[in-house]
Amino acid sequence: MKAVIDIRNKGAKIDRHVYGHFSEHLGRCIYDGYWVGEDSKIPNIRGIRSDIVEAMKAIKTPNIRWPGGCFADDYYWMDGIGPKSERVPIVNVHWGGVLENNHFGTHEFMDLCEQIGCEPYICGNVGSGTVREMRNWVEYLTDDGQSPMAQLRRKNGREKAWNVKFFGIGNENWGCGGFMEAEYYAHEFRKYATYVRNYQAMGKTNWWESPQITRIAGGANAEQLDWTETLMRKVPSSLMGGLSVHCYVKPGEESHGTVFTEKSWYETAANTFKKEPLLKQQVSIMDYYDPENKVIMAVDEWGIWVDNEPDSHPGFLYQQNTMRSALCAALMFHIFHKFPERIRLASLAQTINVLQSIILTEGEKMIKTPTYHVFDLFKGHQDSNVIPITWDEKPEKIELDLPQVDMSASLDDDGVINITLVNISASSHAKGQLGFAEEAPLRARGRILEGEVTAHNTFDNPNNVTTKEFKGIKIEDGNLYFDLPPCAIVSLEVEIR
Ligand code: AHR
């Protein structure tokens, strides 16, 4: 196989927010995940686990979406502020019916984002909340003036307003967020979004004319085109800065978290690839109504959905994470890179101990999953300009008519080309050649994640699957040659001048 990466064709920037995360009050994502409490023996800063913060900093986490998911449309934010001893415990009706003490609320989430150095993406409550509650939450978060909510925030210990970059107006409002019809939700969206104001601009200019918090409409599953069409037709881009799309991938019939055959590996690849035409259709609808790309597509829930771990709480969605999960993540990022102007935010579901996690915890132990390592390998793509790949000789076709190799490239601001490659074959090496048009590679280095399809990390063997230096590259005659082992994900940094 032979490909050409020509930097003269460089396209739009891959928004770093495509590498975001979704963290819901679900199972052990928040409680027993990020949050251990100030009195825990596990090292923490103000109750937030430090090893998790460090791990998320290391992959340049750009944003976290919180508090849901389905949970968001049941969450009353005022239950989660003020002295912890006075906070009202709530029952998490969506996820396991468990009691939550509400010790992780607005201040703790914003503290988490500040510790990581990422942007908050807060999802407000449309399903069971009022416009006034949402309005007040935004005032509480972002007003530096003398408003009642700003005063309340100060009373609760935070003098300065926070910056909120993204605000979701409900979640899956066609389902758990109120079972609304698209037209009805479009009207609701317009009303709620009006009151998600930019308090920072208050008094300085007409607030609606100044840059807004990006208000993101609750969107459809990738398959549901009519929802997207209605929202785009009914809501002006001055109110709707983003529209969400959810994109979960099934692993085929063999859905056990760690016990499956290569059949499921290939079916996962095929099912992930099937999302590309669906997202393309979603993008086309948005392009039709918004040719200037003012409204971002936020794929704010995505990932593989396998079986819960045996004997775990059925409502907690605690799932193991294998090379199959890493494959899904890598291929999905490559799809996102194909629509850089439109897909400008994405959030993997769900960070810690839930669905396709990047981190699993057990008491004081913490492990990074194969999916974590994909985020690590791919971080060079963040805010780099995509470079389309031209195939002179296409990769061979393997099982299920899949291409053996999938690839994506980008050029960063320092002139380094980042290339990520996936060898989808579980049994054969993939050898190939990369040319760089009028340029020649000077230096290249790479890292690799590889293992059996079922390979995963456990608390007893936390580094079974991890990245290491990739030695299968050489530069010769102005080309770069690679030799990928089976079932491998590789990132290369190539300097051309
Ligand atoms: O991620 C788990 C759930 O899946 C979310 O709460 C919901 O939005 C989606 O249906």
Side-chain angles (χ1 to χ4, degrees):
M1 95 196 67
K2 277 192 201 165
V4 178
I5 295 168
D6 186 346
I7 57 168
R8 292 170 304 180
N9 297 336
K10 87 173 181 184
K13 272 198 193 301
I14 298 166
D15 199 311
R16 68 180 188 283
H17 289 294
V18 165
Y19 285 84
H21 294 276
F22 167 42
S23 302
E24 183 167 9
H25 285 239
L26 195 177
R28 296 190 305 114
C29 181
I30 303 293
Y31 297 103
D32 216 15
Y34 291 113
W35 182 254
V36 288
E38 293 93 336
D39 300 332
S40 172
K41 288 199 184 97
I42 299 171
N44 69 83
I45 296 178
R46 293 179 293 278
I48 297 165
R49 255 184 106 135
S50 299
D51 50 2
I52 291 181
V53 168
E54 288 314 311
M56 292 185 71
K57 267 184 178 168
I59 53 171
K60 293 169 66 179
T61 294
N63 67 69
I64 303 175
R65 176 175 182 249
W66 172 87
C70 294
F71 180 84
D73 283 284
D74 248 312
Y75 182 61
Y76 181 41
W77 68 274
M78 288 194 103
D79 288 343
I81 56 169
K84 295 203 174 64
S85 56
E86 291 170 24
R87 292 193 195 172
V88 197
I90 50 156
V91 177
N92 190 331
V93 291
H94 284 284
W95 306 113
V98 290
L99 203 63
E100 293 188 2
N101 63 15
N102 250 322
H103 285 188
F104 191 92
T106 301
H107 289 250
E108 292 72 26
F109 173 65
M110 298 306 279
D111 189 13
L112 168 70
C113 292
E114 286 185 338
Q115 289 188 36
I116 293 174
C118 72
E119 302 286 355
Y121 172 8
I122 290 185
C123 186
N125 178 345
V126 171
S128 69
T130 63
V131 175
R132 185 167 192 79
E133 283 162 20
M134 190 180 287
R135 178 217 169 275
N136 283 352
W137 200 4
V138 176
E139 185 175 280
Y140 186 91
L141 284 156
T142 63
D143 183 25
D144 252 334
Q146 298 306 315
S147 67
M149 289 299 119
Q151 305 283 26
L152 181 60
R153 184 193 66 240
R154 289 190 191 104
K155 187 169 154 244
N156 287 331
R158 171 78 185 198
E159 176 57 36
K160 225 175 115 24
W162 291 284
N163 260 330
V164 176
K165 191 166 170 63
F166 305 106
F167 199 96
I169 314 284
N171 168 74
E172 294 192 354
N173 301 90
W174 44 267
C176 62
F179 286 100
M180 300 174 196
E181 289 177 352
E183 296 247 342
Y184 179 82
Y185 173 71
H187 289 295
E188 289 291 282
F189 177 88
R190 293 169 70 118
K191 187 170 63 184
Y192 278 78
T194 306
Y195 300 95
V196 174
R197 294 188 170 115
N198 180 359
Y199 282 85
Q200 314 275 333
M202 210 60 77
K204 294 180 194 134
T205 172
N206 290 330
W207 71 266
W208 59 89
E209 285 168 357
S210 53
Q212 295 298 322
I213 296 173
T214 303
R215 292 164 292 195
I216 300 180
N221 278 322
E223 293 76 6
Q224 292 167 266
L225 300 174
D226 54 336
W227 183 273
T228 302
E229 196 278 328
T230 306
L231 265 291
M232 290 303 292
R233 182 162 42 81
K234 289 279 181 187
V235 186
S237 60
S238 54
L239 278 177
M240 184 168 72
L243 177 53
S244 113
V245 169
H246 290 176
C247 202
Y248 286 105
V249 174
K250 294 273 178 196
E253 279 165 21
E254 297 179 51
S255 52
H256 193 284
T258 52
V259 184
F260 55 88
T261 66
E262 287 174 4
K263 181 169 179 274
S264 173
W265 164 268
Y266 290 119
E267 283 176 355
T268 297
N271 289 345
T272 310
F273 281 128
K274 278 183 196 154
K275 299 296 178 187
E276 182 175 337
L278 296 173
L279 289 173
K280 194 170 179 187
Q281 282 177 302
Q282 295 279 2
V283 168
S284 309
I285 294 170
M286 294 183 75
D287 287 349
Y288 176 79
Y289 288 102
D290 172 37
E292 290 173 47
N293 287 312
K294 287 185 181 156
V295 185
I296 67 169
M297 185 191 291
V299 188
D300 56 15
E301 289 186 28
W302 69 271
I304 191 167
W305 193 309
V306 300
D307 291 350
N308 297 343
E309 279 297 276
D311 303 326
S312 63
H313 190 306
F316 279 14
L317 308 185
Y318 178 64
Q319 302 175 7
Q320 246 298 1
N321 196 290
T322 59
M323 279 301 290
R324 177 181 64 181
S325 322
L327 169 79
C328 170
L331 298 181
M332 194 66 101
F333 280 133
H334 287 180
I335 295 172
F336 295 157
H337 295 175
K338 292 186 181 166
F339 308 102
E341 281 111 343
R342 186 65 71 183
I343 302 184
R344 302 237 297 279
L345 184 145
S347 325
L348 178 76
Q350 301 203 2
T351 329
I352 306 162
N353 297 327
V354 175
L355 296 173
Q356 186 170 355
S357 312
I358 53 165
I359 286 168
L360 300 175
T361 62
E362 191 179 84
E364 65 191 32
K365 293 183 184 168
M366 186 276 258
I367 56 175
K368 296 168 182 166
T369 66
T371 300
Y372 175 92
H373 294 296
V374 174
F375 277 77
D376 194 27
L377 289 177
F378 280 50
K379 65 187 175 197
H381 286 309
Q382 291 192 26
D383 286 337
S384 295
N385 290 81
V386 77
I387 317 175
I389 311 277
T390 315
W391 290 101
D392 280 353
E393 269 172 38
K394 285 195 170 166
E396 247 177 69
K397 290 286 175 141
I398 56 168
E399 281 80 350
L400 305 180
D401 212 25
L402 293 160
Q404 183 176 1
V405 169
D406 194 56
M407 197 189 312
S408 186
S410 64
L411 181 69
D412 71 21
D413 289 344
D414 299 325
V416 174
I417 302 178
N418 298 288
I419 305 167
T420 44
L421 303 113
V422 184
N423 182 2
I424 300 173
S425 171
S427 53
S428 310
H429 275 245
K431 293 185 182 181
Q433 177 187 328
L434 295 178
F436 294 86
E438 294 192 348
E439 311 284 343
L442 292 179
R443 276 175 293 277
R445 60 184 179 173
R447 297 199 64 74
I448 182 168
L449 185 74
E450 61 176 324
E452 301 284 309
V453 296
T454 57
H456 57 281
N457 294 329
T458 63
F459 294 100
D460 293 330
N461 192 1
N463 294 315
N464 181 40
V465 186
T466 190
T467 55
K468 57 179 196 247
E469 188 188 347
F470 177 55
K471 298 206 171 121
I473 34 175
K474 69 173 181 210
I475 293 173
E476 220 170 75
D477 319 324
N479 292 306
L480 189 146
Y481 295 85
F482 61 82
D483 180 355
L484 308 174
C487 195
I489 301 168
V490 162
S491 74
L492 304 176
E493 285 177 12
V494 182
E495 290 173 50
I496 48 174
R497 56 172 84 106

